[in-house]
Amino acid sequence: MGVVQLQDNLKQPASIQTLVDLVSQDMAKVNDLILSKAGSNVELIPEISRHLIDSGGKRLRPMLTLAFAKMFDYQGDGHIILAASVEFMHTATLLHDDVVDESDMRRGKLAARKLWGNQASVLVGDYLLGQAFKMMVDVGSLEALRILSEASAVIAEGEVLQLGASQNTSTNEAQYMQIIEAKTAALFAAASEVSPEVSGQSDAVRAAARKFGMDLGLAFQLVDDALDYGGSAKDLGKDVGDDFHEGKITLPIIYALARGTDEDRAFWKRTLEDGQIEDGDLDHAISLLRSTGALDDTIQRARDFGASAIEALASLPDGPCKDALRESVEFCIQRVT
Amino acid sequence: MGVVQLQDNLKQPASIQTLVDLVSQDMAKVNDLILSKAGSNVELIPEISRHLIDSGGKRLRPMLTLAFAKMFDYQGDGHIILAASVEFMHTATLLHDDVVDESDMRRGKLAARKLWGNQASVLVGDYLLGQAFKMMVDVGSLEALRILSEASAVIAEGEVLQLGASQNTSTNEAQYMQIIEAKTAALFAAASEVSPEVSGQSDAVRAAARKFGMDLGLAFQLVDDALDYGGSAKDLGKDVGDDFHEGKITLPIIYALARGTDEDRAFWKRTLEDGQIEDGDLDHAISLLRSTGALDDTIQRARDFGASAIEALASLPDGPCKDALRESVEFCIQRVT
């Protein structure tokens, strides 16, 4: 784990705005491309795509692609296309995720599957994935295609793993880490790695960018999982307790299970495994997660991965891109502290 | 439409075996590759993949890739990888289709979604699609990747279109043709086109192979749709009347609707649009499809596309590959006559 200390005590809180500003010109092009490529003569496709695209995601993954392209002074428009492809892959995953999780809400709006049905969500996800690969071909880099197609298979593997761990209170920390590395961090890693690749950078530089993305992705997911028991609905765009009601076994739960009394374990088994949730159970869950230090320790794991992500930047060129990427890590962690 | 007459009156019925024998050595390699690439440390993935892969599909699409590679004496193993990718794309589509159609059976076995659930079917489909693209990258042909990623997006578009046409008795012939071209024929076309592409053939040759695949795919789907009201369950590996019970508006139905009395149209509306199906309705549907000539005319459309497919072979090199491909068209048509 990293030895660099995160500057949690900065006078100014870290903001994602530095990264947003850095890539804003390129991001405008990415957004145009996304809108044009989400188009189709088949009416339902742009309708559903736009519902998701307009629903205020942070576009964190394509921002990584754009920031690393800028760091290496990439010339051309490959980074725009790759960034849009990355966002399409992510959007397709969200559509399929909501079907798999039977989610009602996504980013504070009704999930697409509630508006158009599971069937359309599956198929429009497939369409966006197909479009993503078509766009990648346009960039003409087989190596970038290899990185992103590998991520695509790994993400699906992670989702299948998560399905097996769902409502299974014997899931351990190693299994959880394997799941979030695959379902979340792999795309952060790929989004970061493709830019040094198309910019002709060395293997070592590619590996550093990849490691940054991977560790940031892990930190991001750990924070998300902690926020599900501690953040406010407003911050998350979804209600606290979603994971609880879906029986998701996340790291806070794994820690709480290991540290709890027999009575506590019976509580977790009833609520998460058997899905028998009564009024007041979520509050009780949160109080157990706090009293056992499960939330604090999850957040500490996120901090460690954040520090490791920043450490990965050390060998890369100094400048505004590196600064913005570092601040984006701090922002991710500060969401929860 | 083609002017070549199909030899329906051959003394020997056409057999797919000629094509099977022609590519059998290569197909053994494709099967090995499929089994190895459907593997994953995530248990559920090989389990579901093998259920589908072992369930006796004809592997028609990868056979097209292999036969065209042989026609152009392709050297290397790219055709093996592309053929396996094509079969993975097809398998992923089947998994998602069964979820979308809420099908209980597939090729005479319980559908994967009945055994492992919709969730796993969606995710394993995604995994196979990711693996397909990873494999295509190994071939190293950006143009083959373009052909297959384009097909991937088009197939999903076709499925979304079909969803909109489902239970909609105002669907017309042009809309139906657009749906089957996208959801079925596009992959036949791509499977055929990639081999001349990686064999370095001219654009004209590529176009001829593509046209062959497209027209064969259209004929194949038309035959399938006619068989759903006239074939035996044994031939199809699924029960007659599946489309009827799902409210699918296929060409036989479109013809019967246009030619029926007001009473007939009320029957179709009640059964297909409102889904109110009673005992004896399927028999009545089949008798209407026969008496109006709707089945015969659908089969004639299939014959026309079959003739057009054979015509597309005219400019390609004579030999055993061309003969086997021609016979496979005749076999497709003869399934229904």
Side-chain angles (χ1 to χ4, degrees), chain B residues 37-60:
Chain B
K37 295 287 183 178
S40 160
N41 294 328
V42 181
E43 231 170 279
L44 209 53
I45 292 178
E47 212 173 308
I48 296 183
S49 304
R50 282 182 191 205
H51 173 77
L52 268 154
I53 290 162
D54 293 348
S55 69
K58 289 177 292 297
R59 302 261 205 283
L60 189 50

Side-chain angles (χ1 to χ4, degrees), chain A residues 40 42 45 96 100 119-120 123 126-127 133-134 137-138 140 142 145-146 149-150 153 156-157 159-161 163, chain B residues 40 42 45 96 100 119-120 123 126-127 133-134 137-138 140 142 146 149-150 153 156-157 159-161 163:
Chain A
S40 161
V42 181
I45 292 177
H96 288 186
V100 168
Q119 303 168 314
L123 297 177
D126 290 351
Y127 176 75
F133 281 102
K134 268 180 69 177
V137 172
D138 289 338
L142 276 167
L145 267 156
R146 187 187 307 279
S149 59
E150 171 72 27
E157 269 186 318
E159 303 277 353
V160 175
L161 268 181
L163 194 61
Chain B
S40 160
V42 181
I45 292 178
H96 287 187
V100 168
Q119 302 167 314
L123 297 177
D126 290 350
Y127 176 75
F133 281 102
K134 267 179 71 177
V137 172
D138 290 338
L142 275 168
R146 187 187 308 279
S149 59
E150 170 73 27
E157 269 185 320
E159 303 276 353
V160 176
L161 267 181
L163 195 61

Side-chain angles (χ1 to χ4, degrees), chain A residues 181-182 185-186 188-190 192 209-219 305 309:
Chain A
E181 181 171 324
F188 280 73
S192 302
R210 180 174 182 79
K211 176 131 179 57
F212 170 84
M214 187 69 84
D215 288 337
L216 172 60
L218 292 170
F305 280 110

